[in-house]
Amino acid sequence: MSVVNGDTHITSDQVFQKQEPKILDGIKSLSENGGEAEPTKDGTKDEQTAESMLTRLRFQQYAQNSEDVFQIKVNLPHQPYEIPLVVSTQEQIQDLRQSIMESPGALQYSCFHLEYNGERINDFIELSEVKGLAAGSELKLVEDPYTEKEARTHLIRIREIIGAAGTRTDTLHGISAGLSLHDSLALWNDPSASADHATDSLKSKSFNALADYSYNGSPLISTVLPPTREPPPKTIKSISLSPWNPPPPPLRQQGHLLYLQLTTNEGEQYQITSHVSGFFVNKSSNSKFDPSSRPAPKRAAAHSLFSLVSYLSPSFERAFEALLELNNKRDPLSHFQLTNAIPSSPWLVAPSTISPSAHQPDLARTQETYLISGVENTETLRDWNEEIQTARELPRETVQDRVFRERLISKTFAEFNDAAARGAMMIARGEVAPLNPTETRDAQIFVYNNVFYSFGADGVGTFTSEGGDEAARVAVGKDVVGVRAVNQLDVAGLASPGTIVVDYLGKRLVAQSIVPGIFRQREPDEHQVDYGGVEGREVVAENGAFVSTFSQVSKALKVKKHPVWDKECKKHTLEGSVETKGLLGTDSRKYILDLYRLTPLDIPWIEKYWSDGADSATKPDTNDYPHRMAVLRPELVEAYWRLKMSEYVKAEVEKRKSVIANKEIPAFINGTHKRSTSSEKAENVLPDESAESQATNSAKNFDQERVDISEFSLALNPDVFCGQVPQTEEEKEEWANDEKEVRAVSDFLLEKVLPELINDLREGEVGFPLDDHSLGRLMHQRGINMRYLGKLASLAEGDDLRMQSLKMLAVQEMIARAFKHVANRYLKGVPVVFATECLAHLLNCLLGASFNDSPKTHIDEDIRDLYRAAGLSFEDVTTKRMKSEIQSQVKLRYRHVLSPDWRDNIKHLQLLRSIALKLGIQLIGKDYSFKPITQVSDGGTRKPQDGIVPIIDTNGHSNDNGGGKKKKKHNGRASSPKQTYESPKYPVTFAAEDIANLVPIVKDASPKSVLAEEALEAGKISMMQNQKEIGQELLLESLTLHEQIYGILHPEVARVYHQLAMLYFQLDEKNAAIELAHKAVIISERTLGIDSSETVLSYLNLALFEHGNRNTSVALSCIRHAMELWKTIYGSKHPDSVTTLNNAAVMLQHLQLYRESRQWFEVALSMSEEVSGKQSVNTATLLFQLAQALVLDQDHKGAVHRMREAYNIYLAKLGPKDPSTQESEKWLEQLTQNAVSMAKHAKDLQARRIRRVHFNPHLPTPGARAQPQVGQSTTDMVNGHNTASQALDPRSIDELMRFIEGGADHSKSPSAKKRTSRRNPRRRGGATIGSVA
């Protein structure tokens, strides 16, 4: 990154130089013990701290090698004739060229080279290699002659810049892919939005985004739909290739490259010749061909097409400035193109985006393939495998090498994933011919765009004994996970092919880069693979060349080196599973393939629910699991390894303690211990007490010694229970031990991991899942497979809201996954033209059964006749049959029996979202009728209007604020225009036309950046060690590395933005925190989804930061949007919504909207009573807050009542001596006296002259709080850097009274800041209550 026109983009070089002294201080503080980490309580080394130190040393080395950043000038051939740039010597000339082309004064240049001191600079070197280049140097931009490729590239670029590219139809990314709602949410730059200190204006309802919000209302579909934007100004009418293109051979010899056709806004049409010298207007017309230049004075020519268009169209410059102004109103991140990440496709799309009027004519759209790829389409054909392996083999000695290497790896994998997914879609649609057309469909293989494809089905009978197609489908999914794990290990000398899995139209395809030699016919006595199982387990190959690299993988993944036996009972010792194969490619690289069995089988599950036999219909109901590929998760193996390692360390510690106790203490007591002196005189015997004391000290010193864990080892045999037959007694014994260890891991899952997860969620120790997707992610983090959803639901029994919510999420996820399997079965054989009709009918049978219990399909008979051989069995599905199939699938796959009335209890919108995300469905954004028109859940009558369900206010938030009138200016998304869509008048919930698009679900194997993760972990560890300054600098370095390696628009970058924002907020650098939080929101929306759980969390924390920076009205808009999203993806009454409700109440109180604040505190209290119980400390804390809010609302009698309830709970739970109890007692006494005084002096009360009291207890009111990620413990929230608690309003009764009377803002008084530090940790409130995904 460079600086363009003074707009600074800090490079990693600058970061490292700036932070070098601080890093050195941190290294010095960590290196006092010779570079060794301090021992932990169990005697082990803190390896992470040592790694942190090592990372910093690497950064130090990089900083020492980097040069200063300086400014240069670039002289241009046309206006503005020069531009300033800030560059780094580590920057490449290619990066400098890109910075020039992106600068406002040099947009028109794309075909040029740079010169310095009259010498041409090579585009592929670094600035440091340019002799004499220093601060103040001037480079000269020299325009180059065009080639055809350069001319095509220039045309594409100019079309993009001037807004003439139009809308593209992207089959991979879907409609509105990469959408962000951030800019449409609120007026971020509205000056009045931050004027919270203006008391009079603040009391206006227009500042309260929550004025008409209903907590228990129905979800608003418009929340996830973008508002209709005004169309951007048109700079020209059209520009495209002319019908006269391409130039005939004689003219090509004269330098003609392309012929273009331009229509300006004035209606003038020009025929333009693209020449090696530039672009000029020729004499051709639509009927006459004459590509020569017009004579003067009509001659018009320029090197850049941009300059030529500007000359030809008088209105162009004015329209272009308006276009730039419009673009500048939006955050650049919200519309930059994603390069290294697949953009998120929303499951609901605005009707306006698919209306016929939205599709505008653009001739160049049909020409883009030629413009990008050339005539032969050879420019985009790439050797993906060679590119991937070459990137992985780049040097990695220095940090600079690692940054360049990992950036190229990330870019190459992203481009491969994109190309492979596009090819998979074409194959699923039947648009690519197979290499073996005579085989059955499932056995066919394909090669397209140098990518190898096969179906995730058992086409050749490999998995017959494992479950057939079901086992094959699971295997390819596990293979991607295994390839990703191996890629992350980054073992030198070991190659793995690029791999993705694509689910599309009911089919699963696996795409891989072509390994050189994989199709080679070998000699008859040669095996097809060089290491591992050749033909299943029948033939096994060994090759010593693979042992060293495979052993590194096995050691890292806890895979045991073990023997296997072939069909002749010959023993072979392998470093991995017999299913894992090694192949020596013709490029001499060692490839690792088939990584779906890196972990052992979950044998208790298989023994309980699986039985051998090809025909599943003959299996008993208790043993009919679809496949035998039920393997344990790598996260579980890692957790078990940590457990065993901890037990080993503790055993070693106890052993050494025992040695000390047995040897030293008796010696002291018996008087036999003597001090060694030169005269060997016997000393007095130590008294017993001193002897024991010395022995104890010795034991304590031992505790601080480090335990060598190199002797500890735990590895699992992935081939146990897989048909291997040991031959000797010794082998049988070893095999039995391996089986015992694998069973122990499964027992660990059932007896410890699952109950601990249930307990943590029940007690509120971790963030509660926001939707079923985040529940699945949480389970995977704990090492729990999704097949245990039924077990999770059965363990989540209880009357408390947390367990009810957990069971609801688990059941919803099981139903959604069951529907996915049912839908895939019907979709697999359906022609593409009937796919939407199939899905619509299946959705009607599941979600629309209450609206119409006998839905019918509507298929054009003429089209049906074209596909007579196609199976359209989905037409026979009824609501009753769908219910039966869902119940059967849930029981089959999750061992859970749904309740008889499960279909009446599902959350229709949330289940629809879950299904759409799993199947890649994009639906029209409108109100779908799931129940008869007169039936709604709250007992009212629903009348759909403009696709939005009207909200029925049930908690009185808008009763006393303007009679319910909505002022749109400051009400977040309230200004969004209404969306309308007319669907066919079928008596069903879903019509085929309601499914706007189907997008593929892609699972990739791209590795994360090790270098950026090291810096991130180093920063985290420094923060936990209370070295905040060093931690901050390391996190900044990590952010720079993330941006350089991934590009800015990437989910990993959003995660770092989020963590840095939390850190800055803690350090009271609120403006920086807000800026990073805005970026985190936008990137999360564009890469993870506009309604993902991460996006909701980002909005909630952005609200916290804005409120902390006194932009409370903006904060309320964020709260409103986040809570609307919350209702869309979960519904109302989420267990962790208490924190958000409390935060909203505090913000309203800050705006002096006391009545509204009181109502939100009451809702928060009601939720807390449901979640934590009426007698919990959390509820007492909210009762205390509500009492204060009642005082502000002048309800003194109610305040006394609530404070008495809080005091009674504190007294019962914490005892009379607890500070919380004592403070609440003082407040209760004072409030009681005050209430009596108010009753006696009603006239004084009306005159707002409240009798003063002199008692001044200080009990801080918990303020707005940040919320942890799903599964993040509340301990981490308190001790780590991912929290931003801020005490607000620590007031006495006197201060509350002054606040009511319009006194000074307490937040400005210095005493308020001092009282902040006196917060009672027990009164965090949100630490155990508030958490959100």
Side-chain angles (χ1 to χ4, degrees):
M1 279 290 196
S2 301
V3 176
V4 181
N5 292 344
D7 185 16
T8 305
H9 300 274
I10 302 296
T11 64
S12 59
D13 307 332
Q14 295 169 274
V15 172
F16 290 134
Q17 292 168 17
K18 177 181 176 183
Q19 298 158 3
E20 180 180 355
K22 298 175 182 177
I23 297 172
L24 290 174
D25 292 340
I27 295 170
K28 182 178 179 181
S29 66
L30 284 175
S31 304
E32 293 176 351
N33 295 322
E36 292 291 334
E38 288 294 329
T40 57
K41 292 183 180 180
D42 59 8
T44 61
K45 287 194 300 184
D46 188 343
E47 297 182 27
Q48 288 182 312
T49 307
E51 182 182 0
S52 170
M53 182 188 67
L54 177 62
T55 303
R56 295 176 197 173
L57 285 169
R58 291 172 179 164
F59 289 146
Q60 173 198 356
Q61 179 184 6
Y62 183 50
Q64 291 172 344
N65 293 335
S66 62
E67 299 290 335
D68 291 336
V69 175
F70 54 89
Q71 182 169 308
I72 62 172
K73 287 184 179 179
V74 178
N75 295 325
L76 307 175
H78 310 290
Q79 286 187 346
Y81 297 112
E82 67 175 33
I83 56 172
L85 289 176
V86 174
V87 297
S88 165
T89 53
Q90 300 296 326
E91 205 171 341
Q92 290 197 343
I93 299 299
Q94 287 278 21
D95 297 330
L96 179 59
R97 284 175 54 93
Q98 190 65 29
S99 298
I100 293 172
M101 290 190 294
E102 290 175 355
S103 61
L107 292 174
Q108 68 267 36
Y109 302 106
S110 67
C111 185
F112 63 89
H113 70 268
L114 298 173
E115 293 183 357
Y116 181 61
N117 291 336
E119 295 185 3
R120 179 167 181 159
I121 303 175
N122 191 316
D123 290 342
F124 300 96
I125 64 173
E126 292 184 354
L127 281 175
S128 58
E129 300 178 47
V130 180
K131 294 181 180 180
L133 189 67
S137 297
E138 294 186 4
L139 300 181
K140 183 180 179 181
L141 185 149
V142 181
E143 295 173 333
D144 284 337
Y146 287 95
T147 63
E148 184 193 315
K149 181 178 179 181
E150 289 280 1
R152 289 189 277 109
T153 303
H154 185 77
L155 174 60
I156 294 172
R157 170 176 161 74
I158 296 303
R159 278 172 49 84
E160 293 282 355
I161 290 175
I162 66 177
T167 56
R168 291 189 176 93
T169 303
D170 195 317
T171 56
L172 173 62
H173 297 153
I175 302 169
S176 300
L179 174 68
S180 172
L181 301 178
H182 172 271
D183 290 343
S184 62
L185 172 61
L187 302 176
W188 304 109
N189 299 319
D190 186 355
S192 62
S194 59
D196 291 347
H197 56 278
T199 305
D200 294 337
S201 61
L202 285 181
K203 291 184 179 180
S204 170
K205 180 187 171 184
S206 62
F207 281 89
N208 178 13
L210 301 175
D212 60 345
Y213 178 78
S214 172
Y215 179 70
N216 293 321
S218 302
L220 280 171
I221 295 297
S222 60
T223 304
V224 293
L225 299 180
T228 301
R229 297 181 180 274
E230 59 177 290
K234 292 182 69 67
T235 55
I236 59 174
K237 286 188 176 180
S238 67
I239 184 169
S240 62
L241 292 175
S242 167
W244 299 114
N245 196 70
L251 294 175
R252 182 175 293 276
Q253 302 302 318
Q254 299 177 23
H256 290 212
L257 304 174
L258 301 171
Y259 297 131
L260 311 179
Q261 184 172 288
L262 166 70
T263 305
T264 65
N265 283 342
E266 292 80 11
E268 296 290 335
Q269 187 180 88
Y270 297 92
Q271 299 285 338
I272 297 173
T273 297
S274 172
H275 191 263
V276 291
S277 62
F279 298 83
F280 60 82
V281 178
N282 61 40
K283 300 178 183 178
S284 297
S285 65
N286 290 335
S287 58
K288 173 188 172 184
F289 179 62
D290 184 358
S292 60
S293 176
R294 289 182 178 181
K298 294 185 178 181
R299 176 180 171 82
H303 186 268
S304 170
L305 184 60
F306 182 91
S307 302
L308 181 62
V309 174
S310 179
Y311 172 78
L312 295 174
S313 175
S315 65
F316 174 79
E317 288 189 5
R318 184 173 63 254
F320 184 65
E321 289 177 2
L323 177 65
L324 291 179
E325 183 179 353
L326 178 65
N327 289 336
N328 289 335
K329 292 180 181 179
R330 302 169 59 191
D331 192 295
L333 293 179
S334 66
H335 59 271
F336 278 176
Q337 184 177 359
L338 279 79
T339 55
N340 285 6
I342 296 178
S344 173
S345 297
W347 64 282
L348 286 177
V349 297
S352 59
T353 60
I354 64 160
S355 64
S357 60
H359 194 64
Q360 296 296 318
D362 182 12
L363 184 60
R365 189 165 52 225
T366 65
Q367 303 165 349
E368 280 191 346
T369 301
Y370 160 70
L371 291 173
I372 295 172
S373 308
V375 176
E376 303 296 334
N377 197 27
T378 56
E379 295 176 17
T380 56
L381 287 179
R382 301 162 63 176
D383 188 341
W384 293 110
N385 189 76
E386 185 63 26
E387 288 192 37
I388 292 172
Q389 309 312 329
T390 302
R392 292 167 62 94
E393 291 167 357
L394 288 172
R396 58 180 100 179
E397 283 73 22
T398 66
V399 172
Q400 182 182 354
D401 290 340
R402 293 180 66 186
V403 170
F404 178 77
R405 175 179 179 271
E406 293 186 359
R407 179 169 59 183
L408 183 59
I409 288 175
S410 176
K411 179 177 181 293
T412 305
F413 268 102
E415 292 171 350
F416 168 77
N417 296 341
D418 186 276
R422 293 181 188 277
M425 292 180 66
M426 295 182 66
I427 292 170
R429 289 177 171 270
E431 298 172 9
V432 178
L435 297 181
N436 52 343
T438 58
E439 301 286 343
T440 61
R441 178 65 173 169
D442 288 344
Q444 290 176 348
I445 58 176
F446 306 82
V447 172
Y448 181 79
N449 198 8
N450 281 340
V451 180
F452 173 72
Y453 296 91
S454 60
F455 288 104
D458 191 23
V460 294
T462 305
F463 296 94
T464 301
S465 61
E466 307 289 330
D469 288 346
E470 288 279 359
R473 185 182 182 89
V474 172
V476 296
K478 296 295 182 184
D479 184 46
V480 171
V481 176
V483 173
R484 187 189 306 126
V486 170
N487 287 342
Q488 195 64 44
L489 292 176
D490 205 9
V491 176
L494 184 64
S496 60
T499 307
I500 68 167
V501 165
V502 179
D503 291 325
Y504 184 62
L505 294 177
K507 306 171 185 68
R508 170 164 286 191
L509 291 104
V510 57
Q512 294 179 306
S513 60
I514 301 175
V515 176
I518 196 169
F519 295 127
R520 178 171 60 95
Q521 279 298 116
R522 302 202 177 194
E523 296 297 328
D525 58 339
E526 278 189 300
H527 296 312
Q528 199 64 28
V529 298
D530 299 287
Y531 190 78
V534 180
E535 300 172 1
R537 295 182 290 270
E538 302 297 319
V539 179
V540 180
E542 291 185 81
N543 189 326
F546 287 86
V547 173
S548 61
T549 52
F550 271 51
S551 63
Q552 296 180 58
V553 174
S554 297
K555 182 178 180 181
L557 299 178
K558 316 296 185 297
V559 178
K560 182 180 180 179
K561 181 178 180 179
H562 62 280
V564 295
W565 296 265
D566 58 21
K567 61 183 179 181
E568 298 176 356
C569 298
K570 182 180 178 181
K571 179 180 177 181
H572 304 268
T573 302
L574 298 179
E575 290 288 346
S577 168
V578 69
E579 307 290 352
T580 303
K581 300 172 178 59
L583 176 68
L584 188 62
T586 54
D587 56 359
S588 300
R589 295 187 179 103
K590 294 188 283 289
Y591 289 89
I592 185 170
L593 307 171
D594 292 350
L595 295 165
Y596 54 85
R597 283 280 299 281
L598 292 177
T599 54
L601 295 173
D602 186 359
I603 193 60
W605 179 277
I606 292 174
E607 290 178 341
K608 191 173 183 180
Y609 301 121
W610 164 267
S611 62
D612 293 327
D615 188 5
S616 59
T618 62
K619 295 183 180 181
D621 291 342
T622 56
N623 298 88
D624 58 348
Y625 194 65
H627 57 83
R628 200 177 184 271
M629 291 297 298
V631 297
L632 300 172
R633 290 195 63 83
E635 297 91 342
L636 179 69
V637 174
E638 186 66 28
Y640 184 74
W641 182 89
R642 289 196 302 267
L643 173 70
K644 288 300 180 181
M645 194 267 287
S646 177
E647 292 177 355
Y648 170 82
V649 170
K650 290 178 181 178
E652 289 295 311
V653 170
E654 293 299 326
K655 188 187 298 183
R656 294 190 189 180
K657 283 183 179 180
S658 174
V659 170
I660 293 175
N662 292 335
K663 290 184 177 180
E664 295 190 15
I665 295 179
F668 285 125
I669 295 176
N670 295 332
T672 58
H673 179 79
K674 298 180 181 180
R675 290 200 184 104
S676 298
T677 62
S678 58
S679 60
E680 296 183 357
K681 278 189 176 182
E683 294 293 324
N684 293 331
V685 176
L686 292 172
D688 291 353
E689 185 177 351
S690 299
E692 293 177 0
S693 175
Q694 186 168 344
T696 303
N697 289 335
S698 298
K700 288 182 179 179
N701 291 334
F702 168 76
D703 274 348
Q704 296 178 357
E705 294 181 12
R706 299 178 184 87
V707 174
D708 183 10
I709 62 172
S710 61
E711 297 181 3
F712 170 77
S713 65
L714 185 145
L716 302 176
N717 184 345
D719 288 325
V720 294
F721 306 109
C722 292
Q724 294 292 332
V725 182
Q727 301 300 306
T728 67
E729 291 300 322
E730 184 180 355
E731 291 170 351
K732 291 178 180 178
E733 182 180 357
E734 180 186 2
W735 205 259
N737 291 333
D738 291 346
E739 291 180 344
K740 182 179 179 183
E741 195 71 63
V742 169
R743 287 187 183 276
V745 180
S746 297
D747 293 340
F748 171 68
L749 168 63
L750 292 171
E751 298 171 5
K752 186 173 178 64
V753 177
L754 266 169
E756 280 187 355
L757 175 62
I758 293 292
N759 185 68
D760 288 346
L761 292 173
R762 176 183 287 112
E763 300 301 325
E765 295 296 330
V766 297
F768 199 88
L770 191 59
D771 57 1
D772 43 11
H773 176 71
S774 54
L775 172 62
R777 192 169 63 249
L778 174 59
M779 291 175 64
H780 286 168
Q781 289 171 356
R782 296 290 184 102
I784 304 172
N785 303 85
M786 298 309 292
R787 60 178 171 271
Y788 285 100
L789 275 169
K791 181 71 172 178
L792 193 73
S794 63
L795 292 174
E797 297 293 342
D799 296 331
D800 59 297
L801 184 62
R802 284 184 175 274
M803 290 298 97
Q804 291 177 2
S805 300
L806 178 60
K807 184 172 183 178
M808 182 275 295
L809 282 177
V811 170
Q812 178 175 299
E813 177 71 354
M814 286 188 285
I815 294 173
R817 286 174 172 266
F819 181 85
K820 179 187 72 172
H821 288 288
V822 172
N824 282 338
R825 188 173 73 249
Y826 287 111
L827 275 173
K828 188 175 181 180
V830 169
V832 176
V833 70
F834 297 135
T836 56
E837 189 69 54
C838 172
L839 284 171
H841 180 66
L842 296 178
L843 288 171
N844 284 326
C845 292
L846 176 67
L847 296 172
S850 298
F851 182 78
N852 182 349
D853 61 357
S854 300
K856 302 295 182 183
T857 59
H858 299 269
I859 295 179
D860 190 318
E861 294 300 325
D862 293 335
I863 300 179
R864 185 199 297 270
D865 291 340
L866 297 175
Y867 296 94
R868 294 179 180 178
L872 302 181
S873 58
F874 68 88
E875 291 185 287
D876 300 328
V877 178
T878 62
T879 57
K880 184 177 180 180
R881 179 174 167 182
M882 174 60 72
K883 181 178 181 180
S884 175
E885 289 201 37
I886 293 294
Q887 292 174 173
S888 175
Q889 287 290 323
V890 169
K891 183 180 179 182
L892 175 71
R893 297 178 184 275
Y894 309 107
R895 301 295 144 176
H896 181 77
V897 178
L898 295 172
S899 61
D901 59 346
W902 64 268
R903 193 154 60 180
D904 298 328
N905 297 326
I906 59 176
K907 295 183 176 181
H908 292 84
L909 185 63
Q910 288 73 29
L911 181 57
L912 174 62
R913 172 182 177 268
S914 181
I915 290 171
L917 292 177
K918 285 176 172 58
L919 290 172
I921 303 173
Q922 290 190 291
L923 292 154
I924 302 296
K926 65 170 190 174
D927 174 39
Y928 292 98
S929 301
F930 299 112
K931 296 182 179 180
I933 203 69
T934 57
Q935 297 180 15
V936 291
S937 58
D938 56 8
T941 301
R942 179 179 62 185
K943 296 181 180 179
Q945 180 180 359
D946 297 330
I948 298 175
V949 181
I951 297 300
I952 300 172
D953 199 318
T954 58
N955 57 7
H957 287 179
S958 59
N959 289 348
D960 299 316
N961 290 280
K965 295 180 180 179
K966 181 185 291 187
K967 296 186 178 181
K968 296 185 178 181
K969 184 176 179 181
H970 297 282
N971 211 15
R973 297 293 308 285
S975 60
S976 301
K978 296 177 180 180
Q979 306 283 2
T980 61
Y981 178 77
E982 293 294 334
S983 62
K985 297 181 179 180
Y986 299 147
V988 290
T989 302
F990 301 95
E993 292 79 5
D994 292 328
I995 299 177
N997 193 27
L998 295 173
V999 295
I1001 306 299
V1002 180
K1003 300 176 183 178
D1004 63 76
S1006 305
K1008 293 183 180 179
S1009 166
V1010 177
L1011 180 61
E1013 290 296 319
E1014 283 179 359
L1016 183 61
E1017 290 303 315
K1020 288 180 180 178
I1021 292 167
S1022 297
M1023 295 300 297
M1024 288 189 289
Q1025 293 173 345
N1026 207 27
Q1027 298 176 351
K1028 291 188 176 181
E1029 191 173 3
I1030 299 173
Q1032 179 183 358
E1033 305 302 335
L1034 285 170
L1035 288 173
L1036 276 173
E1037 293 164 6
S1038 173
L1039 174 60
T1040 304
L1041 291 171
H1042 274 83
E1043 290 179 340
Q1044 285 188 341
I1045 292 169
Y1046 294 115
I1048 295 179
L1049 295 171
H1050 195 278
E1052 294 298 320
V1053 178
R1055 181 165 61 96
V1056 179
Y1057 276 142
H1058 176 79
Q1059 295 181 357
L1060 265 181
M1062 302 295 292
L1063 169 66
Y1064 276 123
F1065 192 73
Q1066 276 188 316
L1067 299 176
D1068 205 31
E1069 297 184 23
K1070 297 176 182 176
N1071 289 329
I1074 289 174
E1075 181 182 356
L1076 291 171
H1078 278 287
K1079 291 181 178 180
V1081 164
I1082 296 173
I1083 299 173
S1084 294
E1085 284 184 323
R1086 300 197 64 195
T1087 60
L1088 300 172
I1090 55 176
D1091 58 353
S1092 68
S1093 56
E1094 293 88 346
T1095 300
V1096 174
L1097 174 68
S1098 296
Y1099 268 114
L1100 291 174
N1101 285 331
L1102 175 59
L1104 176 69
F1105 303 155
E1106 291 282 5
H1107 171 64
N1109 203 36
R1110 300 181 58 76
N1111 297 331
T1112 304
S1113 296
V1114 172
L1116 288 175
S1117 293
C1118 296
I1119 289 273
R1120 169 72 179 256
H1121 183 66
M1123 295 187 71
E1124 292 285 9
L1125 290 177
W1126 209 331
K1127 285 197 296 187
T1128 303
I1129 67 177
Y1130 175 85
S1132 59
K1133 293 190 176 182
H1134 188 276
D1136 283 351
S1137 62
V1138 180
T1139 298
T1140 303
L1141 296 169
N1142 177 80
N1143 289 350
V1146 170
M1147 293 175 189
L1148 290 168
Q1149 200 173 84
H1150 183 75
L1151 293 178
Q1152 301 184 25
L1153 299 172
Y1154 304 128
R1155 176 59 58 85
E1156 292 84 346
S1157 174
R1158 164 186 175 172
Q1159 292 168 345
W1160 280 79
F1161 273 126
E1162 288 171 346
V1163 176
L1165 174 62
S1166 175
M1167 274 298 302
S1168 179
E1169 290 176 345
E1170 287 192 59
V1171 174
S1172 304
K1174 293 187 176 182
Q1175 299 300 313
S1176 66
V1177 175
N1178 294 327
T1179 300
T1181 303
L1182 284 167
L1183 283 166
F1184 185 90
Q1185 290 180 265
L1186 178 57
Q1188 286 189 324
L1190 291 171
V1191 172
L1192 290 172
D1193 199 31
Q1194 303 185 42
D1195 185 356
H1196 301 281
K1197 183 177 179 181
V1200 171
H1201 174 67
R1202 292 302 190 182
M1203 189 60 73
R1204 181 177 292 110
E1205 290 185 69
Y1207 167 71
N1208 291 335
I1209 296 174
Y1210 281 137
L1211 182 64
K1213 295 291 184 180
L1214 305 178
K1217 295 184 179 180
D1218 187 86
S1220 300
T1221 308
Q1222 295 174 355
E1223 293 288 349
S1224 59
E1225 183 180 18
K1226 293 176 183 178
W1227 273 82
L1228 178 59
E1229 293 174 358
Q1230 189 56 51
L1231 286 174
T1232 304
Q1233 295 175 12
N1234 217 50
V1236 173
S1237 176
M1238 292 296 170
K1240 291 182 178 179
H1241 300 278
K1243 293 182 180 181
D1244 289 343
L1245 180 62
Q1246 293 176 358
R1248 302 185 69 82
R1249 296 193 300 272
I1250 299 178
R1251 179 177 172 182
R1252 298 298 179 186
V1253 291
H1254 302 290
F1255 182 67
N1256 189 28
H1258 299 293
L1259 183 64
T1261 302
R1265 295 180 295 273
Q1267 302 176 345
Q1269 299 277 359
V1270 170
Q1272 181 186 18
S1273 69
T1274 54
T1275 304
D1276 293 339
M1277 282 287 291
V1278 176
N1279 298 331
H1281 64 276
N1282 197 24
T1283 184
S1285 296
Q1286 179 188 22
L1288 298 174
D1289 299 345
R1291 299 167 288 191
S1292 66
I1293 293 290
D1294 283 342
E1295 291 170 313
L1296 287 171
M1297 295 303 110
R1298 286 198 296 272
F1299 200 40
I1300 293 174
E1301 294 172 344
D1305 190 343
H1306 71 278
S1307 63
K1308 299 179 181 179
S1309 65
S1311 61
K1313 291 186 178 180
K1314 294 180 181 179
R1315 283 192 295 269
T1316 300
S1317 62
R1318 298 180 55 189
R1319 293 185 68 207
N1320 187 334
R1322 203 179 270 112
R1323 237 166 259 118
R1324 292 193 311 271
T1328 56
I1329 305 172
S1331 54
V1332 69

